[in-house]
Amino acid sequence: NAGVTQTPKFQVLKTGQSMTLQCAQDMNHEYMSWYRQDPGMGLRLIHYSVGAGITDQGEVPNGYNVSRSTTEDFPLRLLSAAPSQTSVYFCASSTAGMDYTFGSGTRLTVV
Amino acid sequence: AQSVAQPEDQVNVAEGNPLTVKCTYSVSGNPYLFWYVQYPNRGLQFLLKYITGDNLVKGSYGFEAEFNKSQTSFHLKKPSALVSDSALYFCAVRASGYSTLTFGKGTMLLVSP
């Protein structure tokens, strides 16, 4: 039972490059979300999904794109990386019953 | 809108002493409250949650939290701190009708030997 799997664990990008952070869960959870963690700012919501085919913006969506074609996968796309997107990214999945499971995170550095 | 405040960036306590990490919240409707802990370079570990029922919630590793509706607070407590409790603690809230959590900025707990 893997829970929530995030790949890669570490990534260095150059400014302007694009990439996709992968998130997969095997618990058949309806809800999935992406957060970024920055020092002194806690975790801030980027995008979320309440089911396959349904996504919505969170607090800090600019520069990011998501899609949810299956229940299991919720990839986060950086369209044109900027140094301000240097952060640690966490994916989470949850049930309506409020059992949240977080991935182990992706540490992204944009140079 | 929902928000969480953790008024202390850092809490220092001696091993064996009781500890409290403070959290206040603001939501419309019923709040669902959570505490998570993060060790260096690790993900978030769930400690406890309040959904409904008894205002005193007991969680992992001897931690507990008390839901106080009138003061809109959900402080994390432990009767006797351990050095191994040193970590970053996050309070989070989810409002009724929402699917996502809103986190506080986090409180670093340092337990000295």
Side-chain angles (χ1 to χ4, degrees):
Chain A
N1 188 358
V4 176
T5 302
Q6 288 185 238
T7 56
K9 293 191 183 303
F10 301 95
Q11 183 71 49
V12 179
L13 285 180
K14 294 182 178 180
T15 297
Q17 286 185 318
S18 63
M19 79 159 295
T20 299
L21 307 186
Q22 301 292 345
C23 175
Q25 53 99 359
D26 62 358
M27 298 168 287
N28 203 32
H29 284 176
E30 292 178 79
Y31 304 150
M32 296 187 75
S33 49
W34 276 102
Y35 295 85
R36 60 176 288 173
Q37 181 181 12
D38 302 293
M41 305 194 71
L43 280 78
R44 294 179 292 168
L45 182 65
I46 305 172
H47 285 285
Y48 65 100
S49 169
V50 298
I54 306 170
T55 63
D56 207 345
Q57 297 181 351
E59 180 185 357
V60 288
N62 292 342
Y64 306 96
N65 212 345
V66 292
S67 60
R68 183 116 179 255
S69 56
T70 66
T71 299
E72 295 78 20
D73 299 300
F74 191 44
L76 178 72
R77 297 181 185 85
L78 279 69
L79 309 174
S80 176
S84 61
Q85 294 178 303
T86 293
S87 188
V88 181
Y89 292 84
F90 289 100
C91 178
S93 73
S94 62
T95 65
M98 308 199 204
D99 292 319
Y100 286 84
T101 302
F102 284 82
S104 58
T106 295
R107 187 173 296 272
L108 176 69
T109 303
V110 182
V111 298
Chain B
Q2 50 194 34
S3 65
V4 174
Q6 293 182 242
E8 302 151 318
D9 292 335
Q10 185 168 305
V11 170
N12 297 298
V13 64
E15 188 173 33
N17 283 358
L19 70 87
T20 299
V21 182
K22 295 180 180 177
C23 171
T24 59
Y25 66 89
S26 174
V27 296
S28 299
N30 292 326
Y32 306 113
L33 296 153
F34 302 77
W35 276 101
Y36 289 88
V37 60
Q38 185 180 41
Y39 296 96
N41 299 314
R42 302 292 296 274
L44 276 74
Q45 293 183 25
F46 171 76
L47 283 179
L48 50 82
K49 65 182 177 184
Y50 170 82
I51 304 300
T52 187
D54 194 347
N55 288 344
L56 183 63
V57 180
K58 294 188 182 296
S60 306
Y61 314 120
F63 284 93
E64 59 187 28
E66 186 165 12
F67 170 62
N68 188 318
K69 188 173 185 178
S70 63
Q71 297 187 5
T72 62
S73 66
F74 190 57
H75 302 330
L76 182 70
K77 300 183 179 185
K78 188 174 182 181
S80 180
L82 299 173
V83 172
S84 58
D85 292 331
S86 297
L88 184 59
Y89 290 80
F90 290 102
C91 180
V93 67
R94 170 177 159 176
S96 177
Y98 285 73
S99 66
T100 59
L101 297 175
T102 295
F103 285 84
K105 296 185 187 303
T107 298
M108 180 64 70
L109 174 66
L110 295 177
V111 182
S112 56

